[in-house]
Amino acid sequence: MTIKNPHTIYIRESYSDKIKAVFSSTTSKETEEVNLKRIKSSDDYNTYSCTGDYKKYDRVMFIGDDTDKSMVLVFNKYISGYHLEAGSSEGNIGIPFVYDKKEENAKYETVSLKYNKDKEKNIFIYTPNGYDKNDKNKKYSVIYMCDGQNLFDKLSTDKGCWNVAESVNSMMKNSDNNCIVVGIDNGDGNRDNELTPNIGEIREDQKSLGDFENGTGKEFSDFVVNTVMKYINKNYNTYTDKEHTAVCGSSSGGLEAFYIGMEHSDKFSSIGALSPAFLLFNENTWNKYLKNLDFKGNYPLLYMYNGDGDELESMLLTDTKNMIKYLENINYPKDKIIFKEYKKACHNEHFWRSIFPEFLYYTFNK
């Protein structure tokens, strides 16, 4: 059978002699099973490959001969491959990797910048393999991310990290897109407050869950735009226009990324709001806030994602669907709103890592 839009994906795993891929589409719901071909073996793992239609399918799951399954993973033309490891109740997790490239721990620079009168805040700057600070002719897009401390180090949390570096390197191998990732730290115990914009009264049923009232999200946003972005554009080989600049985060970080992008729609062309904490505010607060925004024709692409695999994700899912309605009320362009639901996804890094390559795909295919 001829595949119209072929893309080859590689899988590494250590426990199956045979493995198959189940491709699926979140829109058409079509599925297709394909047997993988073993192309390499070692004492540590086997490497397999198969080809799928990246315009027909956007998800893939792998099943070994002992019936072990992987999580449902993103499939697109930016994905080089996944290393399957045990680690999730929903199936073996997939760690992005670049086939036939030596794997290394992500190397990034840590810089401390003045945050307010009383303290400084760390930012973590990942430059991909091949970045040359002396090559001023080669420019890089930039993604600014909340929860910077969970992006690169594999032991960041008990659920690992986002493996952002691996996803970016995979994208760069399969496209002409070059990208730097800048993570902003919020791991000093004040996360809830820092990543909550003060746009109105916190919902009564949410007040007991964290320090959200009188949030300092505006201060965090100003820090990103007025301090971090200026530092990055001055010291790194970056594009400085809106079209090559994105912001992304998860949970409270997804809420803050949404707020940053909405407040500065002239500076960001893409927003990634993964499992965003929209539930902190009620419908009236959101409608009032959104109606007072002046986009001046600048509407960032908004990629939103939610799961339904635990109680918190289910709550957040409801309010993300409500946010789509609120945006429709202000005539936000429908073609600028991307929403993806992952039924069994839980509120942790396993799933944010698995979906991040899709955010890259939409961001760099605008």
Side-chain angles (χ1 to χ4, degrees):
M1 182 177 66
T2 301
I3 298 175
K4 291 183 178 180
N5 306 284
H7 178 66
T8 299
I9 190 169
Y10 300 88
I11 298 302
R12 296 193 315 205
E13 57 87 64
S14 57
Y15 41 82
S16 298
D17 291 325
K18 295 180 181 179
I19 190 168
K20 65 181 178 181
V22 181
F23 292 99
S24 60
S25 167
T26 57
T27 52
S28 71
K29 309 303 179 184
E30 289 183 80
T31 64
E32 181 180 349
E33 289 190 5
V34 177
N35 291 320
L36 277 74
K37 178 182 178 181
R38 187 190 303 189
I39 57 175
K40 281 186 180 181
S41 295
S42 71
D43 294 335
D44 298 319
Y45 48 76
N46 298 319
T47 303
Y48 299 86
S49 71
C50 69
T51 301
D53 188 328
Y54 72 86
K55 289 190 176 181
K56 186 175 183 180
Y57 303 113
D58 58 359
R59 296 289 185 270
V60 64
M61 179 176 65
F62 301 97
I63 304 176
D65 55 4
D66 56 0
T67 71
D68 280 340
K69 297 180 180 180
S70 75
M71 297 167 53
V72 176
L73 301 164
V74 168
F75 175 67
N76 62 49
K77 65 179 180 179
Y78 291 169
I79 302 293
S80 179
Y82 290 106
H83 186 119
L84 302 187
E85 296 180 353
S88 169
S89 61
E90 298 304 332
N92 296 312
I93 63 176
I95 308 294
F97 82 100
V98 179
Y99 175 66
D100 244 6
K101 292 272 188 178
K102 182 181 178 182
E103 257 189 276
E104 299 177 353
N105 290 330
K107 297 177 182 178
Y108 57 89
E109 181 182 5
T110 302
V111 176
S112 185
L113 300 176
K114 188 174 182 179
Y115 183 59
N116 57 28
K117 295 179 181 179
D118 302 319
K119 63 179 180 180
E120 295 188 338
K121 183 177 286 294
N122 286 337
I123 64 170
F124 311 102
I125 307 151
Y126 172 73
T127 52
N129 297 332
Y131 175 83
D132 181 358
K133 65 180 181 181
N134 296 315
D135 185 0
K136 303 300 182 182
N137 293 320
K138 187 174 182 179
K139 301 293 185 181
Y140 289 73
S141 300
V142 187
I143 300 177
Y144 294 90
M145 299 188 67
C146 307
D147 290 311
Q149 69 279 2
N150 293 350
L151 303 180
F152 309 117
D153 293 326
K154 294 180 180 179
L155 300 178
S156 294
T157 72
D158 61 348
K159 302 296 183 182
C161 72
W162 288 49
N163 290 89
V164 164
E166 289 82 353
S167 291
V168 166
N169 279 317
S170 183
M171 175 186 73
M172 290 179 59
K173 177 179 172 64
N174 290 287
S175 72
D176 295 327
N177 298 308
N178 302 311
C179 179
I180 289 172
V181 178
V182 180
I184 298 96
D185 182 31
N186 42 72
D188 60 359
N190 200 30
R191 180 178 184 274
D192 289 344
N193 192 268
E194 281 190 349
L195 299 180
T196 301
N198 187 9
I199 63 171
E201 184 76 14
I202 299 296
R203 271 172 42 178
E204 197 64 37
D205 60 341
Q206 300 301 316
K207 289 182 178 180
S208 63
L209 301 181
D211 179 21
F212 304 113
E213 290 198 82
N214 302 312
T216 58
K218 183 180 187 307
E219 185 176 358
F220 190 93
S221 174
D222 290 345
F223 173 69
V224 172
V225 172
N226 298 326
T227 301
V228 179
M229 290 178 69
K230 288 182 179 179
Y231 177 86
I232 295 299
N233 289 336
K234 179 180 178 181
N235 293 281
Y236 291 84
N237 302 335
T238 63
Y239 293 105
T240 59
D241 63 319
K242 164 191 166 181
E243 292 306 317
H244 293 86
T245 309
V247 61
C248 181
S250 65
S251 195
S252 288
L255 169 64
E256 181 67 13
F258 176 85
Y259 173 74
I260 293 172
M262 292 288 111
E263 288 289 308
H264 302 280
S265 60
D266 60 323
K267 292 181 170 61
F268 298 94
S269 67
S270 185
I271 300 168
L274 281 58
S275 307
F278 293 141
L279 82 172
L280 293 180
F281 304 102
N282 63 29
E283 179 177 356
N284 289 336
T285 298
W286 276 121
N287 282 329
K288 182 178 179 180
Y289 170 73
L290 293 170
K291 286 177 181 177
N292 285 330
L293 291 173
D294 184 3
F295 294 99
K296 296 181 179 178
N298 296 305
Y299 294 98
L301 178 74
L302 176 59
Y303 173 89
M304 296 183 290
Y305 148 87
N306 272 104
D308 194 17
D310 57 29
E311 184 178 0
L312 178 54
E313 272 294 304
S314 297
M315 292 167 59
L316 296 174
L317 171 62
T318 297
D319 283 86
T320 299
K321 289 182 176 180
N322 287 337
M323 177 56 70
I324 296 173
K325 297 177 184 177
Y326 307 154
L327 291 166
E328 290 175 350
N329 289 340
I330 64 167
N331 296 316
Y332 202 94
K334 291 185 178 180
D335 63 346
K336 292 285 189 176
I337 301 173
I338 307 295
F339 172 65
K340 294 292 183 176
E341 181 179 348
Y342 185 161
K343 281 289 185 183
K344 295 184 178 181
C346 299
H347 197 75
N348 62 48
E349 285 81 3
H350 285 339
F351 293 92
W352 299 325
R353 171 178 54 231
S354 74
I355 209 73
F356 182 72
E358 186 166 75
F359 168 68
L360 290 178
Y361 182 72
Y362 281 106
T363 293
F364 290 97
N365 265 305
K366 291 190 298 298

